[in-house]
Amino acid sequence: QYFDGFMTGSSSFGNMTMSKSASGSSKLTLLDNAEITGTLTLANSAFGGKIVTGISQLYITNNSPSAIVNVSTTSYVEGNLRRNLNGSLASATYQFPLGHATPGWQHATVDFTSTHSIPNMLGYFSPWSSFPGATGLTDGGACPVTYNTSPGFYDNGYWTLTPSANASSANYDLQVRNGGVTNGPGLNWTVAKAPTISGSWSLDGLCTSVSYPFAKRTGMNGFSVFASAQTSNPLPISLLSFDAEPQGLQVLVTWVTESETNNDYFIIERTQDGQNFEKVGTHNGAGNSAATLHYSMIDAEPLKGLSYYRLRQVDFDGKESLSQLVAVNFSVNNVLNVFPNPAQTEIQYSFNAASDGVVLFELTDALGKTILSQKVNVQKGFNVSDPLSTRFIPQGVYLIQLKPLNSEIIEPMQKRFIRQAREE
């Protein structure tokens, strides 16, 4: 256990614990490299405790994600922290409790989302030597923001995460905790990435919403230099969801916004090759709104097979932003569709039959109990049922099955649907 002091000579420890139970300075300064083969336990108290490395390194050779515990704003590594990684884990979270004398704690969390071949990684935090201006970067997906206003970054500094080898073999999410920021936060913020501190900056992966002082991106690949970018421009829309799914002979496109600013209208677009898009239709926006709004649009003539839909949002001043792509596999062959789903008062179902005849319709609950069973006359080609009331069944998950009756009119089909309470 260490309170204040210096450590000289390369040393190896099984476990190391920072312990502090009273006010006053508390730090251990490494004058040479140190290695921990077990667990580093940081100070679990309001008084904290720092490990200051200078040009040396603190090396955690234990590759378990839990080899560092008690991460806090008062106890961290001020300097160079190297960690061995277990690349055989498909999902693993590694903490890098970093910081600097000024502006203090600057924690980074790497969530690996795939296996990889990185043996170990060095992390450290540095104040800006030359503060960059506006990034000029434009985000997409659920965060259609252009980071083109100055200051484009938080003024606390930047993180460097350097793998020992095979940097591009890992997919990961990165979250950073910003401390000592005096020029933020803006209205929106995220994590920007650059090969070196001299630039050029980019937005890797996808944005995600987190509260200040945190910033995060998902679906990233490759490691280098990271900093928190910000903008004073408001989001034109805050998009909660965007979805598309077959319903009978049509595709229903739905989206939900949490807020809208200067939003003129939406355009629904589709593509099969991911490059050439065509317009499905337009829908007016709400202009300015702080309420949660639900939108929908029908594609009455969807493309056969696999296609992709996206939402284009257009401001009154002509600026645009795009949602992520949503895949829809539309086929009328041997596919049972149930709509609406979830259902409140009634449902319909559609399917394709090889010839005229009779099939068996069954409705069962989640436990497999038959609620309704009846024979249905069908015609060759596409069939859409009459509306079927769902008022007689309680809320829950149900299964519709269509079965052939001693013929090859159809192949067995089934589809789940949800019966939900009617919204008043």
Side-chain angles (χ1 to χ4, degrees):
Q1 295 183 342
Y2 291 92
F3 292 96
D4 291 284
F6 298 87
M7 190 175 70
T8 61
S10 297
S11 301
S12 180
F13 298 86
N15 299 306
M16 178 181 288
T17 300
M18 294 296 295
S19 179
K20 179 72 168 155
S21 58
S23 61
S25 63
S26 177
K27 64 181 180 180
L28 170 67
T29 301
L30 304 183
L31 300 182
D32 294 285
N33 295 330
E35 178 182 290
I36 297 175
T37 60
T39 301
L40 170 62
T41 302
L42 295 169
N44 187 20
S45 72
F47 308 109
K50 300 185 296 183
I51 300 175
V52 182
T53 70
I55 62 173
S56 301
Q57 289 186 18
L58 178 63
Y59 188 4
I60 313 296
T61 61
N62 179 2
N63 69 1
S64 170
S66 59
I68 299 179
V69 296
N70 288 348
V71 173
S72 73
T73 59
T74 60
S75 190
Y76 52 88
V77 177
E78 185 182 301
N80 302 306
L81 173 63
R82 184 179 295 275
R83 295 197 63 173
N84 276 357
L85 308 177
N86 186 347
S88 65
L89 299 176
S91 176
T93 299
Y94 283 85
Q95 309 277 1
F96 283 82
L98 304 172
H100 196 271
T102 302
W105 187 46
Q106 311 290 332
H107 183 63
T109 302
V110 181
D111 289 309
F112 290 96
T113 57
S114 67
T115 59
H116 59 86
S117 55
I118 299 176
N120 61 73
M121 187 182 312
L122 173 66
Y124 56 89
F125 181 86
S126 307
W128 296 109
S129 57
S130 177
F131 187 64
T135 69
L137 299 174
T138 299
D139 215 334
C143 309
V145 173
T146 299
Y147 298 90
N148 59 358
T149 56
S150 186
F153 291 90
Y154 290 163
D155 60 5
N156 54 332
Y158 60 93
W159 294 260
T160 302
L161 298 173
T162 307
S164 55
N166 308 318
S168 62
S169 68
N171 298 314
Y172 65 96
D173 303 338
L174 176 64
Q175 177 171 285
V176 296
R177 194 249 186 221
N178 298 273
V181 176
T182 63
N183 69 337
L187 293 176
N188 302 286
W189 50 88
T190 193
V191 178
K193 175 182 176 183
T196 66
I197 192 56
S198 60
S200 60
W201 293 95
S202 64
L203 297 175
D204 187 19
L206 301 173
C207 72
T208 188
S209 177
V210 290
S211 300
Y212 178 83
F214 297 96
K216 184 177 181 178
R217 290 190 78 81
T218 62
M220 303 180 74
N221 181 270
F223 292 89
S224 51
V225 174
F226 306 89
S228 292
Q230 64 174 335
T231 178
S232 60
N233 290 339
L235 282 169
I237 63 169
S238 177
L239 187 64
L240 292 179
S241 66
F242 175 68
D243 198 11
E245 61 178 11
Q247 288 203 351
L249 289 173
Q250 305 170 330
V251 168
L252 174 64
V253 183
T254 58
W255 65 102
V256 181
T257 63
E258 186 177 29
S259 63
E260 301 182 25
T261 302
N262 196 36
N263 180 29
D264 189 3
Y265 61 94
F266 299 97
I267 303 174
I268 299 297
E269 299 176 329
R270 69 185 182 194
T271 179
Q272 283 193 307
D273 60 10
Q275 301 293 325
N276 300 299
F277 287 84
E278 59 181 341
K279 183 172 72 173
V280 175
T282 62
H283 197 300
N284 289 334
N288 296 284
S289 170
T292 299
L293 300 178
H294 297 256
Y295 295 91
S296 65
M297 183 181 295
I298 292 292
D299 183 0
E301 298 180 352
L303 302 173
K304 300 298 186 294
L306 183 64
S307 58
Y308 301 88
Y309 289 78
R310 73 182 182 187
L311 180 70
R312 181 184 296 273
Q313 178 271 327
V314 184
D315 282 356
F316 287 113
D317 58 8
K319 293 181 180 179
E320 299 181 347
S321 61
L322 293 172
S323 75
Q324 300 177 45
L325 296 176
V326 173
V328 173
N329 194 356
F330 184 82
S331 173
V332 296
N333 295 319
N334 197 37
V335 173
L336 175 62
N337 290 310
V338 178
F339 51 96
N341 191 6
Q344 295 177 358
T345 60
E346 63 182 24
I347 58 170
Q348 289 179 268
Y349 57 93
S350 63
F351 59 96
N352 205 49
S355 62
D356 296 347
V358 180
V359 300
L360 180 65
F361 167 91
E362 288 187 343
L363 173 65
T364 59
D365 63 17
L367 299 178
K369 179 182 177 181
T370 300
I371 306 298
L372 178 64
S373 178
Q374 61 186 23
K375 294 180 180 180
V376 178
N377 293 317
V378 302
Q379 298 178 338
K380 180 179 179 180
F382 191 73
N383 291 259
V384 179
S385 74
D386 293 330
L388 175 66
S389 175
T390 57
R391 297 176 185 272
F392 69 98
I393 58 176
Q395 299 180 53
V397 179
Y398 294 86
L399 181 69
I400 287 180
Q401 299 182 77
L402 292 181
K403 302 176 181 179
L405 290 175
N406 302 318
S407 68
E408 296 182 355
I409 294 176
I410 63 169
E411 296 181 14
M413 312 177 196
Q414 63 180 27
K415 185 74 172 183
R416 296 186 184 276
F417 76 93
I418 299 172
R419 162 72 163 95
Q420 66 180 16
R422 182 175 178 85
E423 295 180 357
E424 301 298 336

